[in-house]
Amino acid sequence: MNICVFLSAADLDERYTGPAREFARLLGKGGHTLVWGGSDVGLMKVVADGVQEAGGRLCGVSVEFLAATARDGVDEMVIAKDLAERKRLLLEKADAVVIMVGGTGTLDEATEILELKKHGRTDKPVVLLNTAGFYDGLKEQFRRMEDEGFLPRPLADLVFFAEEPLGALAYLEESRGVE
């Protein structure tokens, strides 16, 4: 399975890097391909290292203005002209999506895939990995949107909330019929 992971390129605390490393190890051991922003810095590097060390494949989609931080030695690397093209390519290459901790770029990517699902433009499974409660507030906001009628589909049809890496990958594999 090609699993797109939206996440930060920042250097983060172990409470975030530890679970990210665990998810990467599980992804690689499962024989899956990481589809990610292509950067070789911060949390993006942690996840790419973990996948590669565990035997998984790496498919990066960087963008021209960040090409200097793109990782070498990957199975595939594409350099997009802008962020919109990057998001489109990431989603095209993915069978499933995991949203890890991140900033505004990660939030932008997350809301785009959820909007596509809301309108029936994709059926790819999406997991929000709520490491260390990072997305508790967003989860509450999504539930409010659902409760107050802002979502035309049940929230559970749009995104699965996982608290641990193992639960995130198990959901994706089950959703895609991977044994």
Side-chain angles (χ1 to χ4, degrees):
M1 188 170 21
N2 291 339
I3 301 173
C4 177
V5 178
F6 295 135
L7 73 165
S8 178
D11 290 318
L12 300 171
D13 186 271
E14 178 63 24
R15 68 186 161 146
Y16 300 122
T17 59
R21 196 175 297 109
E22 180 186 346
F23 181 80
R25 185 184 57 77
L26 293 167
L27 192 153
K29 283 184 83 164
H32 303 295
T33 297
L34 171 68
V35 179
W36 95 117
S39 290
D40 201 30
V41 295
L43 195 62
M44 284 195 189
K45 177 179 177 20
V46 168
V47 171
D49 286 349
V51 169
Q52 204 165 40
E53 289 164 8
R57 296 184 74 248
L58 299 179
C59 173
V61 181
S62 190
V63 66
E64 285 178 1
F65 70 89
L66 295 174
T69 63
R71 184 181 182 101
D72 291 326
V74 300
D75 299 286
E76 180 184 355
M77 180 63 72
V78 177
I79 306 294
K81 66 180 175 14
D82 57 31
L83 291 171
E85 181 183 39
R86 181 193 207 184
K87 278 192 297 189
R88 182 182 59 74
L89 290 169
L90 285 165
L91 293 175
E92 278 178 12
K93 293 176 177 295
D95 300 314
V97 175
V98 173
I99 302 157
M100 287 189 176
V101 297
T104 55
T106 303
L107 193 55
D108 173 57
E109 293 160 339
T111 54
E112 177 145 341
I113 185 69
L114 295 178
E115 190 68 7
L116 290 169
K117 281 196 79 164
K118 182 181 92 174
H119 291 291
R121 306 304 295 174
T122 185
D123 64 352
K124 295 174 185 184
V126 177
V127 172
L128 193 145
L129 184 53
N130 190 26
T131 302
F134 184 80
Y135 285 119
D136 285 350
L138 185 59
K139 194 168 152 181
E140 183 179 332
Q141 184 62 46
F142 283 147
R143 288 195 174 129
R144 182 175 180 183
M145 289 174 185
E146 180 179 42
D147 292 345
E148 295 187 18
F150 288 94
L151 302 178
R153 297 176 62 185
L155 183 59
D157 288 355
L158 301 178
V159 62
F160 176 79
F161 296 98
E163 302 299 319
E164 298 295 329
L166 187 59
L169 189 60
Y171 174 81
L172 295 180
E173 289 178 340
E174 182 180 311
S175 296
R176 300 305 288 183
V178 176
E179 308 241 342

